[in-house]
Amino acid sequence: MKIEIWSDIACPWCYIGKRRFEDALGTFAHKDDVDVQWRSFQLDPSLPDHFDGTETEYLSQMKGMPAAQVRQMFDHVTQQAAAVGLNYDFDSIVVANSFTAHRFLHFAKTHGLMSQAKEALLSGHFEKGRDIGDIDYLAEVGREIGLDSDEVRRVLATDEYSEEVRSDISEARSLGAGGVPFFVIDRKYGISGAQPADVFTQALETAWDEGQKLTVLAGPPQSTDKDKADELTEGAVCGPDGCH
């Protein structure tokens, strides 16, 4: 079973959704047969490389909300994050465009390390106040997960993997994803948002059960009426009772 997850490193609900999904996957009987693939998305592609202000100021300006209301929203999200073992610190967040970080994730993917890179960047952004737009920091993350830090710097100094990021974003839109996190199971089931773990559990079980069933799209009528034998000349089939 293949599960694709579109998310943005700068999305607080994406990290929470990641944890909730992982909690569900951890108890799934067929977890070893699940292929999880991370896909890129940007909530605000227009964000400059770095925003000169706090996360509160950024969201207040972007959404036109009073700062007090933004802080109240942060408090709620922080509580939800804590419930899944995450320690959010919105006061320390460095507001930066995530495009370069997404390119780094795609580079990590070529080495089979995208999942590790994703976890490190989300934690760095929301829990440690690290700058996801800084190439030196991304090279540091690369080194920590087993990549060559000099190679990370070389790649990110170019526009490599930009097309892969844009392709992910375009594909998300074609699938109808208006926001993230967005989970797609076998290109058949879609789950929008950081749903509770039990919702993911039910989705995994449903998708697995449905995936084991075979839908016959074409074939002759399953009839043993000898008078209709001449009609069954196309798509003939043989069974235990003979061919017809």
Side-chain angles (χ1 to χ4, degrees), residues 9-17 19-20 43 55 59 63 65 68-91 93 122 125-127 180-181 194:
I9 305 154
C11 164
W13 286 108
C14 287
Y15 200 9
I16 295 170
R19 277 293 184 272
R20 291 175 176 175
L43 293 174
E55 181 82 345
L59 284 180
K63 295 181 177 293
M65 297 166 55
Q69 187 176 352
V70 173
R71 294 299 312 176
Q72 185 178 23
M73 180 179 67
F74 286 168
D75 289 342
H76 171 68
V77 176
T78 298
Q79 291 173 8
Q80 296 297 311
V84 291
L86 302 176
N87 184 28
Y88 279 12
D89 183 1
F90 281 101
D91 290 333
I93 285 180
L122 285 167
H125 183 64
F126 286 107
E127 298 182 303
V180 286

Side-chain angles (χ1 to χ4, degrees), residues 110-168:
T110 65
H111 293 270
L113 295 169
M114 194 176 197
S115 180
Q116 293 89 327
K118 184 77 171 183
E119 175 66 25
L121 292 187
L122 285 167
S123 178
H125 183 64
F126 286 107
E127 298 182 303
K128 303 170 185 174
R130 302 303 301 270
D131 183 356
I132 61 172
D134 179 56
I135 291 180
D136 286 338
Y137 168 60
L138 297 175
E140 176 187 326
V141 171
R143 177 181 54 77
E144 290 174 351
I145 65 174
L147 296 172
D148 184 305
S149 58
D150 289 336
E151 182 67 4
V152 171
R153 288 190 180 88
R154 185 201 66 76
V155 167
L156 297 183
T158 70
D159 64 351
E160 288 184 56
Y161 301 103
S162 293
E163 186 54 38
E164 285 83 350
V165 176
R166 295 190 184 100
S167 178
D168 276 357

